[in-house]
């Protein structure tokens, strides 16, 4: 599966390259689907440029793998996905922002209605057309972001006069604590969702994100909406990640230099060489998605890169355009000017880096910059 991204520059001119493995994304989707019974549909969350992997190529790869229902966040994402996938079912999670209804109808996009006002607006639209238009209704079972309160949900859906011709195409809710399956919130949300949607068993129901898929059948209902797992991320913090990595970031070594013992490295002079060090300066920084919070200092270890099986810890602050790596103990022939260093990928899990950066791998993926050469192919 290849996607030819247009590349105006010679490969040598880039500071690094970002490789995306579309076949791995397809495999991850098939793996998640294999966890479901035949009655449950496996959809895909492709918001935020498919978590940084590219909405168009990743959307196509997922459709080719058999995925038919897609979730994005904002209307612009929905409409560009519609250009890519004319036959897919597309839901926009952000719902019915003012001024969006006509665009949704024109482009056959289904809003995920997230408040009473949005549901009422949609119902009025259906009533004036004398027919139902497809849309999901989001019920809040405890996360308190989008969604009708359980009371609003039940009062609305049970009121036939109010609903008029509108029949929702999906009833959904979202887990707040899926990444920690033992959290009591999960069971509470599950029970509440099951209870308030029970009278509407003729309408499809959906509760699970990636973590919900991995948490087992009772969370699956009729449709699941995985995102992060498709892109190789770690949906459940406490377990070994079963997904294949799909992205690899490699940056080029610009300079290899010596740092005398006692000297400091980088902005703020926050890291002191405790012995004579050899460092490699690589062309990737926070502008390329290498989050600055994974910086290192005398008080706190930062992230790392990998060079042919050798760990190269980050030294000092991560800058906008470069990172300094400790290569003191790595064989000299592996640390060559112009060579590529793995900053994130099969040997540097985004979830591991994220632990140093006090964030989650979602943020690493969705931050992947636009400055690297993008290559679609295997992560070899
Ligand atoms: C982003 C999102 C998903 C996908 O979540 P992951 O944790 O990435 O699997 C599913 N449902 C909703 C409502 C979302 O916002």
């Amino acid at each position: 599966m290849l996607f030819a991204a247009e590349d105006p520059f010679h490969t040598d001119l880039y500071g690094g390259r970002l490789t995306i493995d579309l076949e791995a994304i397809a495999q991850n989707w098939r793996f998640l689907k294999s966890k479901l019974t035949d009655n449950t549909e496996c959809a895909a969350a492709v918001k935020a440029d498919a978590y940084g992997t590219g909405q168009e190529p990743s959307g196509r790869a997922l459709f080719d793998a058999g995925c038919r229902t897609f979730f994005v966040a904002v209307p612009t994402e929905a409409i560009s996905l519609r250009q890519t996938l004319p036959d897919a079912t597309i839901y926009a999670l952000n719902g019915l922002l003012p001024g969006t209804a006509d665009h949704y109808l024109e482009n056959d996009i289904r809003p995920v209605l997230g408040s009473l006002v949005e549901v009422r607006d949609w119902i009025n639209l259906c009533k004036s057309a004398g027919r139902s238009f497809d849309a999901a209704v989001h019920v809040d079972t405890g996360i308190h972001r989008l969604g009708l309160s359980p009371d609003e949900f039940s009062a609305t859906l049970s009121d036939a006069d109010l609903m008029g011709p509108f029949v929702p195409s999906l009833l959904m809710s979202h887990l707040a604590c899926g990444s920690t399956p033992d959290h009591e919130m999960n069971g509470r949300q599950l029970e509440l969702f099951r209870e308030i949607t029970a009278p509407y068993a003729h309408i499809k129901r959906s509760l699970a994100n990636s973590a919900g898929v991995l948490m087992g059948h009772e969370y699956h209902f009729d449709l699941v909406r995985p995102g992060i797992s498709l892109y190789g991320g770690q949906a459940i913090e406490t377990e070994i990640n079963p997904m294949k990595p799909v992205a690899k970031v490699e940056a080029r070594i610009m300079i290899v230099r010596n740092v005398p013992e006692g000297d400091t490295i980088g902005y703020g002079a926050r890291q002191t060489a405790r012995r004579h060090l050899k460092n490699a300066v690589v062309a990737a920084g926070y502008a390329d998605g290498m989050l600055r919070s994974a910086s290192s200092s005398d008080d706190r270890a930062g992230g790392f890169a990998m060079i042919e099986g050798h760990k190269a810890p980050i030294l000092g602050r991560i800058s906008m355009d470069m990172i300094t790596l400790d290569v003191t103990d790595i064989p000299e022939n592996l640390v060559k000017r112009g060579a590529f260093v793995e900053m994130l990928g099969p040997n540097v899990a985004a979830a591991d880096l994220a632990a140093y950066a006090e964030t989650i791998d979602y943020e690493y993926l969705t931050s992947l910059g636009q400055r690297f050469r993008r290559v679609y192919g295997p992560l070899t």
Side-chain angles (χ1 to χ4, degrees), residues 24-72:
I25 294 176
Q27 279 181 35
N28 284 339
W29 184 81
R30 286 191 287 265
F31 173 82
L32 295 174
K33 187 176 160 57
S34 77
K35 301 276 172 201
L36 312 175
T37 65
D38 290 344
N39 301 323
T40 301
E41 180 182 352
C42 193
V46 294
K47 57 195 181 185
D49 204 26
Y51 291 49
T53 66
Q55 189 198 65
E56 184 177 347
S58 295
R60 266 191 227 288
L62 287 161
F63 191 88
D64 290 347
C67 184
R68 289 295 175 266
T69 302
F70 295 80
F71 289 82
V72 292

Side-chain angles (χ1 to χ4, degrees), residues 45 47 51 93 138 145 172 174 209-211 225-228 362:
K47 57 195 181 185
Y51 291 49
L93 291 161
H138 194 162
R145 300 189 317 183
M172 59 167 267
H174 191 49
N209 58 352
S210 299
R225 318 181 300 268
I228 192 72
Y362 293 66

Side-chain angles (χ1 to χ4, degrees), residues 126-341:
C126 294
K127 282 180 173 166
S128 54
R131 54 162 290 196
S132 184
F133 293 118
D134 288 331
V137 176
H138 194 162
V139 57
D140 173 28
T141 50
I143 195 169
H144 289 99
R145 300 189 317 183
L146 302 177
L148 281 71
S149 74
D151 287 347
E152 291 171 337
F153 175 86
S154 298
T156 306
L157 268 85
S158 63
D159 187 338
D161 284 342
L162 177 63
M163 291 292 281
F166 176 46
V167 182
S169 53
L170 186 71
L171 305 178
M172 59 167 267
S173 192
H174 191 49
L175 296 170
C177 304
S179 61
T180 43
D182 290 342
H183 201 293
E184 48 91 26
M185 186 90 172
N186 292 307
R188 233 189 316 139
Q189 288 192 272
L190 174 64
E191 270 321 299
L192 183 54
F193 185 64
R194 193 184 277 146
E195 189 189 306
I196 56 183
T197 59
Y200 315 104
H202 57 291
I203 304 175
K204 281 190 191 173
R205 295 182 288 171
S206 176
L207 177 62
N209 58 352
S210 299
V213 176
L214 300 173
M215 272 156 56
H217 284 148
E218 51 179 358
Y219 285 88
H220 294 172
F221 294 90
D222 302 298
L223 180 146
V224 296
R225 318 181 300 268
I228 192 72
S229 290
L230 297 172
Y231 311 105
Q234 177 136 12
I236 293 182
E237 283 165 7
T238 46
E239 285 171 22
I240 290 172
N241 185 4
M243 312 313 296
K244 271 181 158 303
V246 312
K248 185 176 179 184
V249 172
E250 295 160 290
R252 286 186 102 190
I253 297 175
M254 297 187 284
I255 289 178
V256 182
R257 68 185 313 143
N258 293 298
V259 184
E261 183 181 346
D263 279 9
T264 60
I265 301 132
Y267 281 129
R270 285 162 51 89
Q271 181 130 46
T272 316
R274 298 228 166 87
R275 55 174 175 153
H276 183 100
L277 293 180
K278 203 170 72 176
N279 70 13
V281 186
V282 300
Y286 58 76
D288 303 292
M290 298 292 108
L291 304 179
R292 186 170 176 275
S293 45
S295 294
S296 174
S297 72
D298 289 338
D299 307 324
R300 183 177 168 278
F304 63 95
M306 290 298 283
I307 303 178
E308 307 281 340
H310 299 271
K311 203 167 181 173
I314 289 172
L315 287 170
R317 284 236 174 99
I318 293 172
S319 323
M320 184 189 291
D321 313 306
M322 68 191 91
I323 290 175
T324 310
L325 298 172
D326 183 354
V327 296
T328 313
D329 299 324
I330 301 179
E332 216 158 288
N333 63 315
L334 298 179
V335 192
K336 286 247 163 65
R337 176 173 162 248
F340 284 92
V341 170

